[in-house]
């Protein structure tokens, strides 16, 4: 299973970006999907998560500005980021938990990351 992110880039403070993550490969089901970020010298941190039933969870600092969504038919997850701040600058990673059958264990996969830079 492979995750490929796209949509990162350079944006001015107050601007918007939309990140996309496409899952491919052999799997039975994608369960929880999420976005993490990691700034230089910092630990990787959960930004937003969307469960199989579409319930969402957000890092407090992005609530009201970021929105996570998923397209189960096309195995995609998105992160709409509005009102971006310089503190949002980081590499953003897509993450997914998946099963290879209805009774299999759950496995974890990461994308390669996409850089988001917000200038002041």
């Amino acid at each position: 299973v492979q995750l490929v992110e796209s949509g990162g880039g350079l944006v001015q403070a107050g601007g918007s970006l939309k990140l996309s993550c496409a899952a491919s490969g052999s799997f039975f089901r994608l369960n929880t999907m999420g976005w993490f970020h990691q700034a230089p010298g910092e630990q990787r941190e959960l930004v937003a998560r969307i469960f199989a039933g579409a319930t969402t969870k957000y890092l407090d600092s992005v609530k009201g500005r970021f929105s996570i969504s998923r397209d189960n038919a096309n195995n995609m997850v998105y992160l709409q980021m509005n009102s971006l701040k310089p503190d949002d600058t980081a590499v953003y990673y897509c993450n997914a938990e998946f099963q290879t059958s209805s009774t299999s264990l759950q496995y974890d996969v990461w994308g390669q990351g996409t850089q988001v830079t917000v200038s002041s």
Side-chain angles (χ1 to χ4, degrees), residues 33-54:
M33 302 184 78
W35 290 93
F36 289 70
H37 67 195
Q38 187 168 20
E42 302 289 332
Q43 290 192 338
R44 194 171 295 188
E45 179 180 47
L46 175 67
V47 175
R49 176 170 277 164
I50 185 165
F51 297 91

Side-chain angles (χ1 to χ4, degrees), residues 45-88:
E45 179 180 47
L46 175 67
V47 175
R49 176 170 277 164
I50 185 165
F51 297 91
T55 301
T56 58
K57 179 177 179 179
Y58 295 93
L59 179 68
D60 283 348
S61 64
V62 308
K63 286 180 181 177
R65 300 189 297 122
F66 290 12
S67 178
I68 188 170
S69 60
R70 63 192 292 170
D71 176 353
N72 292 327
N74 292 296
N75 300 318
M76 299 285 295
V77 64
Y78 305 97
L79 185 68
Q80 177 67 48
M81 304 186 293
N82 299 326
S83 302
L84 282 160
K85 303 176 181 180
D87 283 350
D88 296 319

Side-chain angles (χ1 to χ4, degrees), residues 10-31:
L10 173 65
V11 65
Q12 288 189 330
S16 298
L17 283 174
K18 184 174 184 177
L19 305 183
S20 300
C21 174
S24 62
S26 179
F27 53 86
F28 173 74
R29 178 168 55 215
L30 293 172
N31 294 322

